[in-house]
Amino acid sequence: DLWLKEVYAFKEMMEKLSGVAVTAEALKTSIRLLNRRRRALRRINEFRKLDNPPISGLDALLVSQVALSQSPESFLEAAEALAAELEERARAGISAYGASDGRPRVMMAGTPSPLGYAKVHYVVESSGLSIVADESCTGTRYYRELVDESATSLGGMMEAVAGRYFSIDCSCFSPNTERLDNVVALAKEHRVRGVVQNILQYCHGYNIEAKAVEKALAKENIPSLKIVTDYADEDLEQLRVRIETFAELLREK
């Protein structure tokens, strides 16, 4: 109830700042449009479950970053073209990693990677690992849940929007056992050999929660590596030493 009141307060503030009223018709259109964007991201990321993914983790990250900064209409047009290309590549057995034998599959977990920040993904994949899933706000956490489209009244749609965002398993919530369950399920679904917890320094919740995530994965015999960093490149080679060591351990495992 408290969260729903906050969403209404946000709506009123946006109406005041923009001078545009939020109507039921306009909100329904927006809900459907953004759900289409989430479905498009789902479709693209489904290809990453394949034994030989036709898209790399670095490129998949860029797609998600662009989705959150480009107009939905422009993104959907490009996403449909990309999905068709990936389907062709998958049918032809073309992998984004070339001869990917021996490259352990890993999942990135933790904080989002905003547009312009991809250094950890770059180091992970240039160290001989294949990123096949992203458990972050620029990954599954963004497109996993949709807004319920069945409501017809403005009040019903406001509740649907609030409900969708309330279901996100961000580390700012406590208790957050559903995130632990989702991390393990996603790791199994994508058949990963290890997990890299990518944590930006200001996202303290994910840093604190990293230990619980590590324990949950360890129970399933899935090793993890915690990386805490910022946007700068000064620690690039330090990260590479740690990630290459992790990659070697995964190959031995």
Side-chain angles (χ1 to χ4, degrees):
D1 291 341
L2 177 63
W3 169 237
L4 183 58
K5 289 177 183 176
E6 290 291 327
V7 175
Y8 268 103
F10 178 69
K11 165 188 169 292
E12 291 164 8
M13 180 57 72
M14 292 303 295
E15 288 176 325
K16 182 179 177 181
L17 289 171
S18 66
V20 178
V22 176
T23 64
E25 183 181 358
L27 186 54
K28 180 175 281 293
T29 299
S30 291
I31 287 171
R32 288 176 173 171
L33 180 62
L34 296 190
N35 274 346
R36 280 182 61 202
R37 182 166 72 182
R38 295 182 185 106
R39 290 189 185 99
L41 286 167
R42 279 184 185 177
R43 184 184 174 197
I44 289 167
N45 281 276
E46 278 291 306
F47 290 102
R48 302 172 73 188
K49 294 179 181 178
L50 300 176
D51 290 339
N52 294 304
I55 184 170
S56 69
L58 195 57
D59 285 341
L61 172 65
L62 181 59
V63 171
S64 293
Q65 290 173 333
V66 169
L68 298 175
S69 59
Q70 190 177 12
S71 72
E73 295 87 353
S74 298
F75 173 77
L76 283 166
E77 183 181 348
E80 287 170 5
L82 175 60
E85 181 183 344
L86 293 176
E87 203 163 312
E88 284 296 318
R89 288 170 63 90
R91 193 178 296 117
I94 300 171
S95 170
Y97 302 104
S100 58
D101 291 342
R103 289 182 68 104
R105 298 165 64 90
V106 297
M107 178 174 81
M108 303 292 284
T111 62
S113 296
L115 191 62
Y117 170 72
K119 72 174 183 182
V120 179
H121 281 68
Y122 165 71
V123 175
V124 168
E125 293 209 308
S126 61
S127 297
L129 298 170
S130 300
I131 301 173
V132 295
D134 285 272
E135 185 272 337
S136 72
C137 295
T138 40
T140 56
R141 197 172 296 116
Y142 174 73
Y143 58 77
R144 185 174 57 221
E145 286 94 6
L146 303 178
V147 176
D148 185 358
E149 298 181 8
S150 62
T152 55
S153 67
L154 181 60
M157 283 183 266
M158 289 292 290
E159 288 192 17
V161 169
R164 184 262 170 187
Y165 285 92
F166 197 65
S167 66
I168 294 174
D169 58 0
C170 177
S171 66
C172 66
F173 291 107
S174 181
N176 198 22
T177 54
E178 62 265 37
R179 179 175 177 236
L180 303 181
D181 294 338
N182 287 332
V183 166
V184 171
L186 197 64
K188 289 182 176 180
E189 187 180 357
H190 287 77
R191 308 185 312 283
V192 303
R193 208 177 296 177
V195 173
V196 177
Q197 296 197 62
N198 178 24
I199 299 166
L200 282 166
Q201 285 180 349
Y202 59 78
C203 276
H204 304 302
Y206 287 101
N207 200 354
I208 293 168
E209 205 167 72
K211 194 65 180 177
V213 171
E214 180 186 355
K215 287 181 179 179
L217 290 167
K219 286 181 181 177
E220 303 298 329
N221 199 29
I222 302 172
S224 64
L225 172 69
K226 184 176 84 167
I227 297 291
V228 181
T229 186
D230 57 19
Y231 296 124
D233 289 339
E234 280 78 5
D235 62 348
L236 207 61
E237 294 311 312
Q238 292 173 319
L239 295 180
R240 185 176 298 281
V241 170
R242 295 186 62 206
I243 291 168
E244 285 182 349
T245 303
F246 186 61
E248 189 63 32
L249 291 171
L250 293 183
R251 278 191 285 270
E252 289 180 5
K253 183 175 182 295

